[in-house]
Amino acid sequence: KVLKVRLETLQFLYALADTASTERSHDSISRPLPTSSASSFDIPSFSLLSTRHESFNGKENGLSHNSSHIKSSTSLQKLLQYSNGDETALSATNQHQLTMNHTNNEIDTLSGAKRDSDEAKILRELLFGMQGIETPRLSANDTNIDRCTRSLIARFLECGWLYEKIRKIINTPTTSLVAQAFVANLSSELREYHRLISVIEQQANTPGMVSLKKLHVWMCTPMQRLKCLAAVADTCQGKKGGQLLSVLYMHSQHGDTLQQSILYPLLYNCTIPIRDMIVEWICNGIINDPYQEFFVS
């Protein structure tokens, strides 16, 4: 199975064996070895159609060569038959391998098409699940889906859970100007998230543009933003005025640049009502505090 030229290799080894037997016969009749060093490695002709004419001085040696050629002819015929049979078997094996490869390629193509179709269905369901809409046909515990896909589905559905959590906090009635500003900023963040989902949905309508792994890469930063906003919104729920601003300031003192980029604008926008109260009080001596949030009563 390793040798590529088995027939030529066997011919060479057979020639060496025949040469060795010839030299031993020469030694037995006390004939001198040829003076040329190259002639001691002469390989007999293996052509079944050629005849070798020896000179008159080599008739005695030619007789032994003729007998060896007769033996080699018989052996060579068997060798050629074996080689031809081996080549036939090899060609049959190659043909069978080609057929199997072609069949496997067709199976891979069909399975790939089915996988793409299943992935497209999962993507359509995920776009609803990522907006907090329940998708009974899509579950992270579905045993018909491979484990890697299930883990991705669980991460995407987490986005939907975070979105729904923030939306419920936004819909909670508030009695605070600072809390209203906080809710307005949360609503703005969710609108940006909706815009991202709509862009992904447009891309998903083009075959091959969106896959689960691409979607996972695209959603890494938005998912972190949703986690940060959900954590802050959960902590600030029920608070108002300076207490809410203190919580936002505490969360903004963070080493993560992404969290800082989210919370600094949020803190700035939420302080606008308090700053307006301070300006009215200092410049005009008027306290406009309908919800008792100012530090002066």
Side-chain angles (χ1 to χ4, degrees), residues 34-288:
T35 56
S36 173
S37 60
S39 61
S40 62
F41 295 98
D42 287 343
I43 298 177
S45 174
F46 279 90
S47 175
L48 297 180
L49 301 178
S50 65
T51 58
R52 185 172 180 177
H53 299 283
E54 299 292 337
S55 62
F56 178 77
N57 294 332
K59 285 184 179 180
E60 181 178 351
N61 189 21
L63 182 60
S64 62
H65 273 290
N66 289 332
S67 62
S68 66
H69 284 166
I70 294 173
K71 294 179 182 179
S72 64
S73 299
T74 306
S75 303
L76 185 59
Q77 288 177 358
K78 294 181 180 180
L79 184 64
L80 291 174
Q81 290 175 1
Y82 166 77
S83 177
N84 292 333
D86 191 27
E87 290 177 357
T88 304
L90 184 60
S91 62
T93 304
N94 291 337
Q95 185 66 27
H96 178 68
Q97 187 66 30
L98 290 174
T99 305
M100 291 297 294
N101 290 338
H102 182 66
T103 306
N104 291 335
N105 290 336
E106 291 181 350
I107 294 174
D108 292 341
T109 303
L110 293 175
S111 62
K114 184 177 182 302
R115 184 168 57 251
D116 293 341
S117 176
D118 294 341
E119 189 173 6
K121 294 178 181 177
I122 292 173
L123 283 171
R124 284 195 297 270
E125 294 292 329
L126 279 177
L127 291 176
F128 291 103
M130 291 164 62
Q131 300 176 63
I133 303 173
E134 293 186 1
T135 53
R137 291 178 292 178
L138 189 64
S139 173
N141 299 321
D142 191 354
T143 56
N144 296 325
I145 305 174
D146 60 276
R147 188 170 64 178
C148 179
T149 305
R150 288 202 304 268
S151 65
L152 291 177
I153 290 174
R155 290 182 65 85
F156 295 138
L157 293 181
E158 183 183 0
C159 290
W161 179 80
L162 294 170
Y163 171 86
E164 187 65 18
K165 183 177 181 179
I166 297 172
R167 191 184 65 81
K168 287 180 180 179
I169 295 174
I170 290 174
N171 294 333
T172 303
T174 60
T175 57
S176 168
L177 292 178
V178 178
Q180 289 176 9
F182 177 67
V183 167
N185 280 273
L186 290 179
S187 300
S188 177
E189 289 286 344
L190 290 189
R191 282 195 297 272
E192 291 295 326
Y193 179 75
H194 267 294
R195 186 177 293 110
L196 173 65
I197 295 297
S198 63
V199 171
I200 293 175
E201 188 174 3
Q202 291 178 357
Q203 295 286 339
N205 293 330
T206 305
M209 286 295 294
V210 182
S211 64
L212 289 175
K213 292 183 178 180
K214 284 184 179 180
L215 185 61
H216 178 255
V217 174
W218 294 343
M219 292 302 297
C220 281
T221 302
M223 185 183 298
Q224 292 178 8
R225 292 185 71 91
L226 287 176
K227 285 182 179 180
C228 178
L229 291 172
V232 172
D234 193 31
T235 308
C236 295
Q237 194 172 8
K239 296 180 174 60
K240 65 178 185 177
Q243 191 178 10
L244 191 150
L245 294 177
S246 298
V247 173
L248 290 178
Y249 179 78
M250 179 186 67
H251 280 276
S252 66
Q253 302 303 305
H254 199 280
D256 186 5
T257 55
L258 177 61
Q259 186 163 341
Q260 290 177 3
S261 65
I262 296 171
L263 288 174
Y264 282 161
L266 186 61
L267 177 62
Y268 178 83
N269 294 329
C270 289
T271 56
I272 292 177
I274 295 293
R275 283 185 289 144
D276 291 343
M277 292 180 192
I278 294 174
V279 170
E280 278 295 309
W281 168 246
I282 293 176
C283 296
N284 302 321
I286 299 173
I287 297 177
N288 183 15

